[in-house]
Amino acid sequence: MEEKLSSVAKTFTPSPIQELSDLAQRCNAINLAEGFPDFPAPPCIKQAAVSAINNDFNQYRHVQGICDQLALKMNKMHGLNIDPLTDIAICCGQTEAFAATVFSIIDKGDEVLLFDPCYETYEGCIAMAGGIPVYVPLDPPRWTLDPEKLMSSFTSRTKAVVLNSPHNPTGKVFSREELEVIAECCRRWDCVAITDEVYEYITFDDQKHETIASLPGMQERTIITSSLSKTFSITGWRIGWAIAPASAASAIRNIHVKITDSAPAPFQEAALTALSSPTKYFETLRIEYQLKRDFCMKLLSSVGFRIQFKPQGSFFLFAELPKDCLLSDVEYVKELIKQAGVVVVPGRGFFHGKSDLDQHSDENCRHQKRYIRVAFCKSDATLSAAAQKFGELMNTRGSPKLYC
């Protein structure tokens, strides 16, 4: 059957993050690799889902109330006027919303700009649509956007820019100045902005999430994708959405129906409870995640990691290997699993562009082998257990390879 596979399918390989998560499960290791919470979802949301199932909301379904609530939230938070009847498509998570968005606007040969490092899903969706990903590197260690690099990446074939803020894997929140540069480029080259805003409620140190759609002239050229997954610790429920001008939202909805027909009906019903959560829920969410971030920063710093950028949002920490460590990111992760029973993600999987070239001869790319990503969306018990493992490793004579 292998010879029957499509050319696109042949280019895809298993997700390294999922493989590491599976390894953690098989080895009973502590999983700080995959970005899913290991603590319970809010009880009221779970009860709403159970109630929906028991009340037989178990068939294909579109819950218009989700769109109504999202429109109100977007107006309150960002001043956007969204028509809930025409401008929102409910999908099976942000991943499907993003894929359907790409399929709705990208033709073969269209170029799509991505900020590097970036989440692995984006490239795959663009490839399936026949598009060409073009990577714009963010400058370490603070992952700043160089306007010159961005502007020089646009061509007559550029169709869209993908913007993920708060950002996976770095935890960066794009500043207002950076958003204005991106918006100006989109207006100048008549491009669409596709956003991934799943971490919109998880920001730290008084940082506020701002959608690029709120900038002048951008709502009509922006497609926002997001979901319940990260905010409510329900990554397996797969309730997400795309918010877009009516014509784009209709196209996304049509593609969604052709692929999956509808998002899970009982979880759509439960989404009404989630979206009506009081302000205190979101404030508590931010405070608790900030404490987890600070705990992990202190832990990794204590064992020699270089953390030159404090995450401003999301629930990831992108840490540079100890300065004197001779291992690459992949080698370090393998040794960490063997010696400590802790799983994290090698950073190189998030880098693209020149990452396939000989990095030993390119000083600008060497950092791509020097980072690991740590997910701190874990219970206090899990994080404490990880800290204990790191501490034991520090006190073990046989571990100089990791802390050289």
Side-chain angles (χ1 to χ4, degrees):
M1 182 61 73
E2 185 175 350
E3 69 277 5
K4 302 296 184 183
L5 296 177
S6 71
S7 57
V8 172
K10 290 176 181 176
T11 67
F12 288 170
T13 57
S15 163
I17 298 174
Q18 184 60 55
E19 287 186 323
L20 286 166
S21 189
D22 293 342
L23 177 63
Q25 191 170 16
R26 291 196 304 272
C27 300
N28 198 30
I30 297 172
N31 186 357
L32 302 184
E34 196 167 9
F36 66 84
D38 68 348
F39 45 82
C44 62
I45 301 174
K46 293 190 290 185
Q47 291 164 6
V50 172
S51 176
I53 292 170
N54 289 334
N55 284 295
D56 292 320
F57 291 112
N58 298 311
Q59 312 306 324
Y60 303 132
R61 189 167 179 80
H62 169 79
V63 178
Q64 180 58 37
I66 295 175
C67 302
D68 297 338
Q69 290 200 40
L70 287 173
L72 290 172
K73 281 184 172 292
M74 295 305 289
N75 183 264
K76 182 178 180 180
M77 292 175 63
H78 303 294
L80 298 177
N81 292 318
I82 305 294
D83 187 332
L85 296 176
T86 62
D87 298 352
I88 303 175
I90 301 172
C91 298
C92 295
Q94 183 277 335
T95 301
E96 193 210 15
F98 182 87
T101 295
V102 171
F103 298 158
S104 72
I105 64 170
I106 299 302
D107 287 318
K108 185 175 182 179
D110 286 343
E111 294 179 353
V112 181
L113 302 190
L114 300 140
F115 297 108
D116 207 41
C118 67
Y119 182 50
E120 61 183 351
T121 294
Y122 307 145
E123 180 181 32
C125 294
I126 294 165
M128 284 189 282
I132 302 169
V134 176
Y135 294 96
V136 181
L138 299 174
D139 294 336
R142 300 193 59 78
W143 310 108
T144 50
L145 173 61
D146 183 332
E148 293 295 327
K149 290 179 182 177
L150 175 62
M151 288 185 278
S152 66
S153 299
F154 281 85
T155 73
S156 60
R157 297 183 299 277
T158 306
K159 186 76 166 286
V161 179
V162 174
L163 174 62
N164 170 216
S165 181
H167 184 250
N168 175 10
T170 67
K172 171 188 175 65
V173 173
F174 281 74
S175 69
R176 177 64 185 243
E177 292 74 18
E178 290 172 325
L179 294 180
E180 288 176 344
V181 169
I182 298 167
E184 172 57 28
C185 289
C186 288
R187 292 189 295 261
R188 183 184 304 177
W189 275 279
D190 191 24
C191 292
V192 176
I194 305 172
T195 72
D196 174 355
E197 304 185 19
V198 294
Y199 303 104
E200 57 194 311
Y201 291 104
I202 306 174
T203 58
F204 312 124
D205 304 320
D206 299 322
Q207 284 278 347
K208 299 294 184 184
H209 168 67
E210 185 174 13
T211 180
I212 197 171
S214 66
L215 272 60
M218 287 304 295
Q219 183 174 349
E220 59 265 34
R221 62 174 67 254
T222 299
I223 301 174
I224 299 168
T225 66
S226 193
S227 76
L228 298 180
S229 295
K230 314 298 185 177
T231 307
F232 298 100
S233 305
I234 46 174
T235 61
W237 284 20
R238 314 316 297 145
I239 301 296
W241 51 83
I243 301 175
S247 57
S250 176
I252 293 165
R253 195 178 304 112
N254 292 339
I255 291 171
H256 157 70
V257 169
K258 295 294 188 295
I259 296 174
T260 59
D261 205 294
S262 78
F267 297 147
Q268 286 192 65
E269 292 292 332
L272 299 176
T273 299
L275 291 170
S276 61
S277 297
T279 301
K280 184 178 179 180
Y281 172 82
F282 302 100
E283 293 174 348
T284 301
L285 182 78
R286 286 162 56 105
I287 292 169
E288 290 182 349
Y289 269 128
Q290 184 164 321
L291 290 172
K292 293 178 187 294
R293 177 204 65 176
D294 294 347
F295 179 90
C296 285
M297 287 184 65
K298 184 177 179 180
L299 167 62
L300 293 177
S301 295
S302 71
V303 295
F305 280 89
R306 303 174 70 200
I307 301 174
Q308 300 181 71
F309 178 71
K310 180 187 284 190
Q312 301 165 324
S314 83
F315 44 50
F316 299 113
L317 183 59
F318 210 43
E320 190 174 358
L321 294 177
K323 188 174 182 180
D324 296 329
C325 181
L326 302 179
L327 302 180
S328 71
D329 57 339
V330 172
E331 293 166 337
Y332 186 94
V333 167
K334 289 179 179 178
E335 287 297 319
L336 189 63
I337 295 171
K338 292 177 185 177
Q339 297 188 35
V342 176
V343 183
V344 297
V345 180
R348 74 175 66 185
F350 299 99
F351 290 102
H352 304 82
K354 292 183 179 180
S355 59
D356 292 331
L357 300 179
D358 179 13
Q359 295 180 26
H360 293 290
S361 63
D362 189 344
E363 186 67 33
N364 292 328
C365 290
R366 288 185 181 177
H367 68 274
Q368 297 183 8
K369 292 183 178 181
R370 299 293 301 168
Y371 283 87
I372 62 165
R373 191 194 73 173
V374 176
F376 55 83
C377 51
K378 308 299 177 181
S379 67
D380 291 346
T382 297
L383 296 178
S384 294
Q388 182 176 346
K389 292 284 189 180
F390 274 104
E392 291 171 356
L393 193 60
M394 284 285 287
N395 296 323
T396 301
R397 283 182 174 273
S399 62
K401 288 188 69 177
L402 291 184
Y403 303 109
C404 44

